[in-house]
Structure formats: C-alpha cells, structure tokens
Amino acid sequence: MANEFYVSGERRAARVGELFAAIAPRYDLINDLQSFGLHRWWKRRLVQLAAVRPGEAALDLCCGTGDLAFALADAGARVTGVDFSAPMLAVAEARKAKGKRQKAKILAHGSVEFRQGDALNLPFPAAQFSLVTVGYGLRNLADLDAGLREIWRVLQPGGRVLVLDFGKPDNALWRAAYFAYLRGAVPLFGLCFARNAAAYAYILESLHHYPAQRGVDEKLRALGAADTRIVNFLGGMMSLNVAVKPT
C-alpha cells in the first residue's frame, strides 16, 4: 500500500510540506528514538569531514530544526540554513533564541541565519558558498537531479558538498533487516510520539525511490565532481556522500 505522503510529480513538494508540518514539534525527539541517538554522532562526523574553515560561507540545505547549521556555526562557519517548511524553521529559530538566552555553546564561534526557500530554486547567486551540506533532505526533493544542479550552481570552485541520508546496505540480509525495522518499528515511534504513523512510514517509501549513496555518488560524478567518496555507517544503513567541485 502506497504511503499517503509519498506522491510523484507536481504534488510531491506539497505533500512533503504537510508531512513536516505535522511532525515538526516532535521531530528531534523521534530522531533520537529511532536512531538510538546515533544521528548525533553521524552529524558530528559530517562536520568533521567538512573541515570547516573559520569564517567561510556555508549553506545547510533542507536544514530542518537546525542541528547541522548550529554545528557548522560552532565550528566557525557563517551558515545560512534553508528549508521550505515554516514549522521546521520555527523550531530552529526557537532553538537559536534559547541558546542565546542560556549563553550556551551554540553559535560560540560562527553565525547562523535561517531562511525559507526552495531547494530547486535557491535565492542565491552562483558560487556563493564554499561548503554545502544536506542532512536527510535530498531524498525528499521533488526533483533530485534539479536539486543537485542547484547545489552545484551555488557552490564555489574548490568547494565541498556533503550529503547525509538513509542508505541501502549492499548486504541483502542486512538490508532486509534494516527495511523491516523501518517498516515496523519506526512508524510505531511516529504513532506513539507524534500520533502519525504514516509520516514515519514515509521514510521507507521514499527510500525505495531514492538512489541512495551509490546513486548520489554517480550523479555527483556526472556533474563533474572530484574526490567523491562514500562513508557508510552501520553497514550502509546510513551514509555520507562527500565531493569537491573542481577549481
């Protein structure tokens, strides 16, 4: 049975927007639950591999509630976080304000601003950013290839792009066990904590249609990327695509 939040074509963006509006208040909690807290380590690893240079301009695309944007800023970047979901951005802004009030480590070195925008039509000139990151967002775009072309357009020559998302393990048994977890346990978390099982059943449905780490690597190479690499976690259940735009 098809998931109610996954549709192809022109309605894709609207349905994904409805999904994130529904889960925004509990998004961070359920991320912790469904990944057993490991998503925090995977994001730290992304920031390590990003090799942030103090003061450089970074774009965190599909920034959601801001995890990666805050981490990149703390590493010293001037970060622009872009997402098309106003409810998710509202959570990010609230986290930013709370961090300022509590004088937390958040934004200790760099800076971050959040903007609502369309990943397929970014409101930036070409070659504006030396670093572009995408955490759990590329899989949700209505047109993956158009999204990658926009990333490539706004990335400076010599700039880096890093994509973190659900992967597809090469090992068939491991992949079957992983898909069974996504099919059974993850929607249960959504039902219990967000009262919306379909929003989390969407993860597996979208993953079926997503080329995952190997497909993204091929698409980046087709754009002319150099030094591409795939970093797998948990046997490929999660993955990082890393690439450099040649000078």
Side-chain angles (χ1 to χ4, degrees):
M1 181 177 178
N3 183 270
E4 66 181 88
F5 289 108
Y6 189 93
V7 296
S8 57
E10 296 180 357
R11 295 178 54 231
R12 177 85 194 276
R15 294 301 287 152
V16 171
E18 292 169 12
L19 183 156
F20 284 105
I23 67 175
R26 294 298 183 93
Y27 179 81
D28 292 321
L29 170 64
I30 299 179
N31 270 359
D32 280 331
L33 293 171
Q34 70 180 11
S35 72
F36 303 98
L38 289 172
H39 75 100
R40 298 175 181 271
W41 183 80
W42 300 327
K43 290 168 182 172
R44 286 197 297 271
R45 184 63 177 139
L46 181 152
V47 174
Q48 290 173 352
L49 292 172
V52 176
R53 297 185 289 267
E56 74 174 326
L59 171 65
D60 183 31
L61 190 59
C62 306
C63 65
T65 60
D67 275 358
L68 281 177
F70 292 131
L72 293 168
D74 191 60
R78 294 180 293 108
V79 186
T80 302
V82 173
D83 202 287
F84 80 138
S85 172
M88 295 287 278
L89 288 173
V91 176
E93 291 285 8
R95 292 179 65 191
K96 180 180 175 181
K98 182 179 179 181
K100 286 182 175 179
R101 288 195 304 270
Q102 296 179 347
K103 297 183 179 180
K105 184 180 177 183
I106 204 170
L107 309 184
H109 305 295
S111 63
V112 64
E113 66 167 341
F114 294 107
R115 296 180 59 172
Q116 189 170 12
D118 183 357
L120 305 186
N121 186 24
L122 292 169
F124 306 114
Q128 178 156 335
F129 301 98
S130 57
L131 173 63
V132 178
T133 62
V134 191
Y136 302 107
L138 205 61
R139 175 175 41 85
N140 298 320
L141 298 185
D143 187 332
L144 173 60
D145 291 321
L148 287 172
R149 287 195 298 269
E150 271 294 89
I151 289 171
W152 213 241
R153 181 183 68 81
V154 302
L155 188 64
Q156 298 171 1
R160 297 95 67 210
V161 57
L162 295 95
V163 177
L164 172 66
D165 216 317
F166 290 84
K168 293 178 179 176
D170 290 331
N171 183 280
L173 291 176
W174 193 234
R175 185 169 61 250
Y178 170 47
F179 282 9
Y181 174 74
L182 293 178
R183 184 181 300 109
V186 170
L188 185 60
F189 288 135
L191 179 63
C192 293
F193 296 97
R195 297 183 181 179
N196 196 326
Y200 284 87
Y202 164 88
I203 293 173
L204 180 58
E205 182 69 21
S206 63
L207 184 56
H208 283 316
H209 298 272
Y210 181 60
Q213 57 266 59
R214 295 192 182 279
V216 171
D217 183 79
E218 290 176 3
K219 290 177 182 295
L220 287 168
R221 288 174 181 270
L223 287 170
D227 301 325
T228 65
R229 59 185 293 203
I230 297 171
V231 180
N232 283 321
F233 306 114
L234 298 178
M237 290 182 173
M238 295 290 158
S239 66
L240 260 172
N241 285 92
V242 184
V244 176
K245 184 174 183 178
T247 55

